[in-house]
Amino acid sequence: MSSAVVVCTWGEARGGLPDGIDEVLTLGRSYAGALGTELHLLVIGAMADETPAVAGSYGVAKLDRIDDAKVAGFQPDAFVEALAQYCAQVSPTALLLAQNLESRLVAARLAGRLHGAAVMNGVAIEGGEGAPVQVTASAYGGDTRIVYELADGATPVVCFIANAAVPEAVDGAGAAEVVAAAVDLSSVEERVKVVQEAKTEGPRLEDAEIIVSGGRGLGSKDNYKLIEELAAALGGMPGCSRPLVDDGWVDSARQVGLTGKITRPGLYVAAGISGASQHMAGCNASKTIVAINRDPDAAIFQHAASGSWETPSRSCPS
Ligand SMILES: Cc1cc2nc3c(=O)[nH]c(=O)nc-3n(C[C@H](O)[C@H](O)[C@H](O)COP(=O)(O)OP(=O)(O)OC[C@H]3O[C@@H](n4cnc5c(N)ncnc54)[C@H](O)[C@@H]3O)c2cc1C
């Protein structure tokens, strides 16, 4: 039997799991099932009390934990070392992560240490006992897909983009068994030290439950005020497409997309935005997308499907 498929995570958990891990666990469970092996969750650093129960509900058999002062916050050198030691002990069939800024920093370096492959922008993983691992990834900003067939041997490290799968829990599963993984990080010295944290003013677009974004169809910088007003009226935040940033109309912190912010709101309103794949990469995990566009054939309408969205329980300014 193959060794376990391991989903790895760290950082702030909402509802027991950090953002996107429910999707990665769903993909990992199906892959582990095809191999006839177990699904494990590896949590690095602090863990919420409810995590073992939530992990169990996604089919996790064992929850491995690395808890050490050196991984109390995200530190790339310590995380790579911890994961390299863990993989040396467990030899996972594959190590799966949710793609974000931090996992991007870790994945390639870890794969180098394991002498294996790192695959970014993953959307699916398939294989079977004795068959090669096949990872499907999004390419060219989401315009196409590529399938990698990975060589046998070293553990591959695969990062999955937001919305790669619809999260699916399993019925009646108990809490995952928690097992401490022993690693020695005493000799790790971070090579890059953060001397000043990046300034973040106000709430982050990535955390917004409602986003109203404007695009080139607004026609002028002045019209962006309409976006700000609508966002405020709905109790949300204003966003934009890249041309508005390129033209100096809006600050880059508001840009949604491949080279901007990756958001997951309940409601995303796109006004005067065509729906280019590079823009959609930053909002296609929204529960509901509403498009305002005078071109009925605009690509955005392929995404602006009917969906269910519940008004969050907070008051909107009148
Ligand atoms: C490597 C790379 C990375 C990129 N990263 C990003 C990214 O992170 N984010 C991003 O947004 N883009 C990104 N882009 C650019 C992307 O490809 C598109 O060019 C961009 O998203 C288009 O922005 P838009 O929809 O506002 O403009 P357009 O494509 O010009 O669309 C304008 C839309 O407005 C509509 N419209 C016009 N007038 C009106 C009106 N009066 N009322 C209603 N609708 C109207 C039009 O029908 C049209 O659909 C990237 C491109 C590359 C190559």
Side-chain angles (χ1 to χ4, degrees), residues 215-217 241-243 255-259 272 274 278-279 293-294:
R216 193 149 41 192
S241 64
R242 181 160 139 174
Q255 183 187 321
V256 172
L258 190 67
T259 45
S274 58
Q278 295 88 357
H279 183 80
N293 199 301
R294 68 176 174 192

Side-chain angles (χ1 to χ4, degrees), residues 260-300:
K261 308 289 182 199
I262 306 293
T263 66
R264 309 167 71 89
L267 174 66
Y268 189 81
V269 181
I273 291 178
S274 58
S277 58
Q278 295 88 357
H279 183 80
M280 298 317 297
C283 62
N284 61 11
S286 310
K287 287 203 187 83
T288 298
I289 297 177
V290 173
I292 304 169
N293 199 301
R294 68 176 174 192
D295 174 7
D297 295 326
I300 189 81

Side-chain angles (χ1 to χ4, degrees), residues 116-282:
V119 182
M120 310 306 292
N121 302 315
V123 294
I125 182 163
E126 286 169 318
E129 188 75 71
V133 185
Q134 286 195 337
V135 179
T136 306
S138 164
Y140 294 109
D143 282 345
T144 190
R145 297 272 160 105
I146 187 161
V147 180
Y148 296 98
E149 193 170 292
L150 307 183
D152 269 355
T155 301
V157 182
V158 184
C159 291
F160 291 96
I161 56 173
N163 219 21
V166 178
E168 242 179 77
V170 281
D171 287 337
E177 180 194 350
V178 180
V179 181
V183 293
D184 177 6
L185 305 178
S186 55
S187 60
V188 181
E189 285 293 332
E190 288 298 323
R191 286 168 294 171
V192 176
K193 292 209 165 43
V194 177
V195 288
Q196 191 179 352
E197 294 281 352
K199 273 193 199 146
T200 46
E201 283 171 18
R204 297 174 345 133
L205 204 54
E206 296 95 312
D207 301 329
E209 181 57 23
I210 300 173
I211 296 175
V212 181
S213 275
R216 193 149 41 192
L218 291 177
S220 74
K221 183 179 178 179
D222 279 353
N223 283 341
Y224 190 72
K225 286 197 191 89
L226 300 171
I227 297 297
E228 291 174 322
E229 282 170 21
L230 179 57
L234 293 174
M237 291 183 69
C240 69
S241 64
R242 181 160 139 174
L244 275 61
V245 173
D246 291 346
D247 290 351
W249 295 3
V250 183
D251 187 83
S252 62
R254 298 266 157 258
Q255 183 187 321
V256 172
L258 190 67
T259 45
K261 308 289 182 199
I262 306 293
T263 66
R264 309 167 71 89
L267 174 66
Y268 189 81
V269 181
I273 291 178
S274 58
S277 58
Q278 295 88 357
H279 183 80
M280 298 317 297

Side-chain angles (χ1 to χ4, degrees), residues 93-145:
T93 302
L95 191 78
L96 315 181
L97 301 118
Q99 188 161 311
N100 53 39
L101 242 139
E102 292 174 352
S103 61
R104 277 174 188 273
L105 278 174
V106 164
R109 291 170 60 186
L110 176 64
R113 290 281 299 271
L114 301 176
H115 305 290
V119 182
M120 310 306 292
N121 302 315
V123 294
I125 182 163
E126 286 169 318
E129 188 75 71
V133 185
Q134 286 195 337
V135 179
T136 306
S138 164
Y140 294 109
D143 282 345
T144 190
R145 297 272 160 105

